[in-house]
């Protein structure tokens, strides 16, 4: 089920990322570059090209094969990527945790798609990966992302000073977590 296509509304779906998403990711990221600037690291212009996205996807897909990342794309009715969602730093064993990152194309923002996707991903992480916990961080002024996390059952658990280099500076981050289950880890894949 983690590798299935999941409809979020009549037009938009969440599906596993693939190498063929490079061109549409480059177009969506370019269109959304100014909108996402306050929440993103500074990136070279090459990041916003199909080749830059091919290279990024190759790394993500290699990390997926190693079990450390689960990358998805948000797709429109033409199967063009208009957002990205990743479970990063997946750790199994007794920790059973991951870090969530996501973005939605400026043309699709404010429609509840991030909330729907995060809810779905939390269910997949619990049921398929048997993760215990997911963590996410936001810069303090990213209230839209904080609302998404809160609607999806995440709770703030701390503040990390100068946590990530975002928009040209080391920025503080509000840290959120969602406990997915408190059951045993028996039967979980490691």
């Amino acid at each position: 089920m983690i590798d299935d296509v999941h409809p979020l509304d009549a037009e938009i779906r969440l599906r596993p990322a693939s190498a063929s998403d490079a061109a549409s990711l480059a177009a969506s990221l370019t269109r959304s570059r100014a909108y996402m600037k306050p929440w993103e690291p500074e990136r070279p212009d090459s990041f916003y090209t199909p080749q830059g996205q091919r290279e990024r996807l190759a790394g993500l897909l290699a990390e997926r094969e190693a079990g450390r990342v689960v990358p998805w794309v948000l797709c429109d009715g033409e199967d063009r990527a208009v957002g990205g969602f990743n479970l990063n730093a997946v750790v199994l064993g007794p920790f059973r945790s991951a870090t969530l990152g996501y973005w939605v194309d400026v043309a699709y923002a404010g429609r509840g798609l991030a909330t729907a996707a995060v809810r779905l991903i939390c269910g997949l992480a619990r049921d398929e990966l048997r993760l215990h916990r997911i963590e996410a961080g936001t810069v303090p002024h990213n209230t839209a992302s904080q609302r998404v996390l809160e609607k999806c059952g995440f709770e703030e658990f701390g503040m990390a000073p100068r946590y990530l280099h975002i928009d040209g500076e080391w920025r503080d981050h509000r840290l959120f977590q969602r406990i997915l289950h408190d059951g045993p880890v028996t039967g979980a894949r490691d």
Side-chain angles (χ1 to χ4, degrees):
M1 201 162 133
I2 208 159
D3 291 326
D4 290 347
V5 175
H6 301 276
L8 299 182
D9 71 13
E11 177 190 1
I12 304 296
R13 324 182 289 298
L14 186 74
R15 67 164 170 75
S18 73
S20 64
D21 293 318
S24 62
L25 280 169
S28 182
L29 286 163
T30 298
R31 182 173 47 251
S32 303
R33 188 173 185 175
Y35 168 72
M36 295 192 315
K37 185 180 184 305
W39 336 118
E40 288 286 307
E42 289 183 329
R43 305 205 193 262
D45 289 340
S46 62
F47 177 85
Y48 298 92
T49 66
Q51 180 59 34
Q53 288 306 299
R54 271 191 288 284
E55 292 168 6
R56 186 178 75 86
L57 283 164
L60 284 172
L61 297 175
E63 288 292 294
R64 179 171 72 189
E65 288 300 312
R68 292 185 290 262
V69 172
V70 184
W72 290 276
V73 290
L74 203 60
C75 294
D76 68 10
E78 303 295 318
D79 202 38
R80 293 175 298 223
V82 294
F85 292 77
N86 293 336
L87 284 177
N88 301 299
V90 175
V91 178
L92 300 178
F95 191 45
R96 307 209 74 77
S97 187
T99 301
L100 175 67
Y102 56 91
W103 63 276
V104 174
D105 186 301
V106 63
Y108 293 83
R111 291 177 39 182
L113 297 169
T115 300
V118 170
R119 280 188 182 128
L120 175 65
I121 289 167
C122 286
L124 294 171
R126 180 193 62 233
D127 299 339
E128 300 290 317
L129 298 175
R130 299 286 300 142
L131 294 184
H132 167 69
R133 174 184 174 277
I134 296 177
E135 179 178 322
T138 74
V139 291
H141 58 282
N142 190 347
T143 56
S145 190
Q146 292 159 20
R147 278 193 309 273
V148 167
L149 294 171
E150 289 165 352
K151 285 190 231 176
C152 293
F154 284 74
E155 298 177 293
E156 186 172 357
F157 72 95
M159 178 70 81
R162 297 176 304 283
Y163 187 62
L164 293 174
H165 200 263
I166 300 294
D167 194 21
E169 292 184 30
W170 289 101
R171 307 272 181 185
D172 296 350
H173 276 63
R174 292 177 65 187
L175 301 178
F176 294 81
Q177 69 176 357
R178 177 170 169 192
I179 303 300
L180 301 173
H181 72 87
D182 283 325
V185 296
T186 56
R189 339 179 276 201
D190 280 18

